Amino acid sequence: MYLREVKLLREKITSPDRYPFNIPSLRSLESLPFRKNVTFFVGENGSGKSTLLEAIAYQCGFHTGGGGRNNYYELASSEAWLGDYIRLSWLPKVNSGFFLRAESFFQFANHIDEVAREDPGVYEAYGGRSLHEQSHGESFLALFRHRFGRSGIYLLDEPEAALSPARQLAFLSILHKLQRKAQLIIATHSPILLGYPEADIYNFDAQPIGLIEYEETEHYRISRRFLENRKFYLKELLD
Ligand SMILES: Nc1ncnc2c1ncn2[C@@H]1O[C@H](COP(=O)(O)OP(=O)(O)O)[C@@H](O)[C@H]1O
Ligand SMILES: [Mg+2]
């Protein structure tokens, strides 16, 4: 474990009614402790998971559009609005790691292609070829398998976005190996990923953000109810 706590610097906030400070989960946030090698962020769409993850990435010195410390490229809309308003407590401090943003992975892949024009060797960290020549899911797994591995902090925003259920399971096994020497904070909607044991799950629908058990998450409950009784569920929904 490296990152022990993120604290919101409330005294610096001048416009509490504006984004990002008006997001309910952040309105009531004082600090969030990290106790495990793997921490999940869950919550409804718009509950503030990405906003906080991006701010942590910013404070880690990672490109807020996605990438590590050495990835500099132009990407609009990568401002970390909350970045200057949080403080991270480390023990020990690490500088290595990666910020994965599903929504700007395409631009990240462009960036790697550009670097590879000068130095084709960089593809080795991404499965031996351009991320654009792999399917979305393949390129994600190539990144997880080849680029993730060293100790450090890995911030992943919806890594399941491109992955089939079978590949989400493959991801769990990669995650399990990686967490032995790294810390991961993962925003996810996947009931498969959330099932990873020994992880903390923070619920962004609660105010203040609090820990929640796997079986209590909406993601688990809704998926389970749907799969167990699809016909009944559909009848309620569609009739
Ligand atoms: N740049 C922005 N300007 C204004 N509001 C934003 C901006 N980015 C996100 N929001 C709003 O902040 C809320 C939280 O967004 P986000 O952190 O992306 O949620 P999540 O990742 O949990 O789905 C949403 O209601 C969203 O519309
Ligand atoms: Mg998000």
Side-chain angles (χ1 to χ4, degrees):
M1 277 207 56
Y2 302 103
L3 180 62
R4 304 287 163 166
E5 188 184 63
V6 46
K7 187 175 190 305
L8 186 62
L9 304 174
R10 215 160 261 294
E11 64 281 5
K12 283 183 82 176
I13 300 172
T14 50
S15 316
D17 295 323
R18 292 226 189 113
Y19 175 80
F21 310 107
N22 59 355
I23 300 172
S25 64
L26 298 182
R27 237 181 224 289
S28 50
L29 177 70
E30 296 296 332
S31 65
L32 214 56
F34 294 100
R35 315 179 312 167
K36 306 262 175 81
N37 292 342
V38 180
T39 306
F40 290 111
F41 289 175
V42 293
E44 259 317 312
N45 297 119
S47 59
K49 306 178 298 294
S50 297
T51 299
L52 185 58
L53 207 56
E54 198 173 86
I56 296 172
Y58 173 83
Q59 283 290 340
C60 289
F62 300 160
H63 191 301
T64 53
R69 276 196 159 235
N70 302 317
N71 300 116
Y72 298 106
Y73 59 100
E74 291 296 324
L75 175 70
S77 83
S78 63
E79 243 171 300
W81 294 81
L82 191 64
D84 288 323
Y85 297 87
I86 60 166
R87 179 182 298 140
L88 306 183
S89 309
W90 300 89
L91 197 74
K93 171 87 173 96
V94 280
N95 293 317
S96 54
F98 199 90
F99 176 39
L100 174 82
R101 267 183 90 182
E103 51 195 272
S104 54
F105 192 66
F106 185 83
Q107 285 90 337
F108 180 76
N110 284 346
H111 159 69
I112 297 303
D113 280 353
E114 228 156 73
V115 177
R117 257 175 244 138
E118 303 272 311
D119 172 16
V122 298
Y123 282 143
E124 269 162 45
Y126 304 95
R129 60 200 167 117
S130 166
L131 292 167
H132 284 306
E133 291 169 24
Q134 309 175 45
S135 83
H136 199 193
E138 287 168 341
S139 61
F140 262 48
L141 269 201
L143 180 73
F144 300 150
R145 287 213 169 100
H146 303 283
R147 168 79 196 251
F148 296 7
R150 277 178 298 155
S151 63
I153 182 157
Y154 293 82
L155 309 167
L156 313 180
D157 199 354
E158 300 189 21
E160 75 275 15
L163 301 179
S164 70
R167 290 213 160 137
Q168 292 185 37
L169 295 175
F171 174 78
L172 280 184
S173 104
I174 295 171
L175 171 67
H176 186 56
K177 286 194 196 96
L178 188 57
Q179 62 86 33
R180 292 191 187 122
K181 50 185 171 178
Q183 181 175 3
L184 294 105
I185 304 174
I186 306 172
T188 184
H189 292 297
S190 163
I192 296 180
L193 298 196
L194 286 172
Y196 183 75
E198 279 301 303
D200 269 347
I201 304 177
Y202 275 123
N203 179 17
F204 278 59
D205 293 330
Q207 293 163 41
I209 298 166
L211 290 169
I212 187 170
E213 290 296 322
Y214 175 57
E215 291 83 359
E216 297 299 320
T217 61
E218 289 241 299
H219 304 67
Y220 171 85
R221 294 164 79 127
I222 292 177
S223 311
R224 179 171 176 177
R225 260 186 282 155
F226 183 81
L227 293 172
E228 278 181 351
N229 208 342
R230 181 166 65 100
K231 285 197 182 123
F232 174 79
Y233 215 86
L234 287 175
K235 197 164 159 20
E236 267 193 3
L237 272 177
L238 307 182
D239 272 0

